[in-house]
Amino acid sequence: MTAIPLTPLPPVKKDIREVKEISIDRKPIGSGIENPVASQNVDMEKAKTKEKPLILLVEDNPDVVAYVASCLGGYRLAVAKNGQEGYDIATEIIPDLIISDVMMPVMDGFEFCRKVKSDERTDHIPVIMLTARADMDSKIEGLELGANAYLPKPYEKQELLLTIRNLFELRDNMRRRHQNIAGLVDASEPKNMKEAAIEDPFVARVREMIEEHITDFNLNVDQLAKELYLSPSQFRRKLDALTGFSPNSFIRFLRLKKAKTLLQDPELSITAVAFDSGFSDPSYFTRVFKQEFGKTPVDWRMENPSEALP
């Protein structure tokens, strides 16, 4: 399984010049030249809740790299020296956010942004473009290519940090919206807003695939990733970015959502509900149902004899 290492490794490939984790006081607590493509032994799903957001910086100027790194307290940082390297790295590690220069060798920032935003693996990632080309035509070109923010050089450190924070807040709002649409959380938006919302195509495809195979006890992350033409780690990071759920949690919740619908039928036994929802062990089904909803399936059925569920 391809994953981002949690500890520095020696150089493996020239795709990534540097990966750092910087503490809040901006003292490096880990650095080294790393290649996520070659790292195999990190369980992303277990580690993700402890990880700081991962930012990919695509920049060929070492001084700018050093300055941006000094600004990004609390983030992990991967660095590429041109757009082609940046694209190769972005499609492999699926960072949480990308910061890219415009003027670079091999592939410039505009072409890099276009490729990132036209690739299903990376089209959800926010992109900040940094450039000395502050003319309006260049800014409009970057925004038309899908850049989420455009900061002309020289920029203030606080401006960069606020832009990053705002983009992560937008991502969190997007996650809540997708959770509501997919029925993964209790709806909190007004009905007319939910009806007007459009589910992300990728999330919808994953949800539909799971629902189509809901009775398959063996449905797993590797199977879904393969059908989506993604590696398991790419799949995990993209689904988490869009929904805040790991694939296993996403599968389990949709199974439990299906179980709540089936519990409306008094003719079905709890065991039948468990099996028809994809749980091979009725005892395990009862346990996770109670963990999720605070009631056993029997108690929930008694309290909701005719509740209309989607």
Side-chain angles (χ1 to χ4, degrees):
M1 176 179 67
T2 302
I4 300 168
L6 298 182
T7 56
L9 298 175
V12 179
K13 192 177 177 182
K14 293 183 180 180
D15 285 342
I16 296 183
R17 290 163 46 190
E18 184 176 22
V19 175
K20 280 188 178 180
E21 184 178 355
I22 302 172
S23 62
I24 296 299
D25 62 5
R26 293 165 180 78
K27 295 178 181 178
I29 61 176
S31 63
I33 303 174
E34 303 185 5
N35 180 17
V37 177
S39 304
Q40 303 291 328
N41 299 318
V42 176
D43 187 333
M44 292 297 298
E45 189 162 272
K46 291 181 180 178
K48 77 178 184 66
T49 56
K50 300 179 181 178
E51 289 180 343
K52 299 172 183 178
L54 173 62
I55 294 176
L56 171 61
L57 172 62
V58 187
E59 170 63 65
D60 65 320
N61 187 317
D63 292 333
V64 175
V65 170
Y67 174 71
V68 173
S70 72
C71 296
L72 299 181
Y75 299 105
R76 292 176 298 144
L77 182 64
V79 179
K81 62 186 178 183
N82 60 59
Q84 184 59 58
E85 285 189 1
Y87 175 70
D88 293 340
I89 294 167
T91 55
E92 182 61 35
I93 68 175
I94 317 296
D96 297 295
L97 183 141
I98 294 171
I99 300 173
S100 176
D101 191 14
V102 169
M103 304 300 293
M104 295 181 292
V106 184
M107 180 189 292
D108 66 21
F110 289 141
E111 178 63 13
F112 167 69
C113 183
R114 185 193 66 78
K115 292 191 70 172
V116 165
K117 290 297 185 177
S118 60
D119 191 313
E120 187 181 46
R121 295 170 292 181
T122 54
D123 58 4
H124 66 284
I125 301 173
V127 176
I128 299 173
M129 303 197 75
L130 306 175
T131 181
R133 293 173 57 179
D135 60 283
M136 184 57 64
D137 288 344
S138 296
K139 182 175 181 179
I140 290 175
E141 181 178 0
L143 295 174
E144 286 180 339
L145 289 170
N148 300 85
Y150 195 98
L151 299 182
K153 298 176 182 178
Y155 51 86
E156 294 292 331
K157 172 181 175 180
Q158 192 65 14
E159 181 182 17
L160 174 61
L161 293 177
L162 286 173
T163 301
I164 293 172
R165 188 185 72 181
N166 289 341
L167 288 174
F168 280 142
E169 287 180 355
L170 287 173
R171 181 193 65 177
D172 292 341
N173 291 335
M174 175 190 67
R175 282 174 169 173
R176 286 190 289 271
R177 184 169 66 251
H178 292 155
Q179 290 169 1
N180 283 337
I181 296 171
L184 298 171
V185 295
D186 290 335
S188 58
E189 296 180 351
K191 183 177 180 181
N192 62 335
M193 290 182 63
K194 288 194 297 176
E195 289 176 347
I198 299 175
E199 187 173 19
D200 177 85
F202 180 83
V203 177
R205 186 142 53 102
V206 174
R207 177 181 54 76
E208 290 165 1
M209 288 168 59
I210 294 171
E211 291 173 347
E212 182 179 350
H213 299 90
I214 201 76
T215 59
D216 181 0
F217 300 152
N218 298 315
L219 181 65
N220 58 47
V221 174
D222 289 351
Q223 179 182 340
L224 291 172
K226 184 177 181 180
E227 292 191 31
L228 292 163
Y229 302 100
L230 299 173
S231 72
S233 62
Q234 290 169 335
F235 177 40
R236 288 186 181 95
R237 289 191 62 80
K238 173 144 188 164
L239 187 66
D240 174 66
L242 290 171
T243 68
F245 279 73
S246 70
N248 281 332
S249 296
F250 198 78
I251 293 170
R252 189 178 75 169
F253 199 95
L254 288 178
R255 291 192 190 280
L256 292 172
K257 180 184 174 186
K258 176 67 173 180
K260 288 175 74 174
T261 300
L262 296 174
L263 285 168
Q264 299 296 304
D265 184 352
E267 300 299 320
L268 289 176
S269 67
I270 299 302
T271 297
V273 169
F275 289 162
D276 289 347
S277 303
F279 292 94
S280 60
D281 183 348
S283 297
Y284 173 74
F285 162 65
T286 296
R287 185 164 68 253
V288 297
F289 190 97
K290 185 175 181 180
Q291 288 174 350
E292 188 66 44
F293 303 118
K295 299 178 179 67
T296 66
V298 173
D299 292 338
W300 189 91
R301 170 181 270 172
M302 292 177 63
E303 295 180 15
N304 302 271
S306 60
E307 181 179 329
L309 294 171

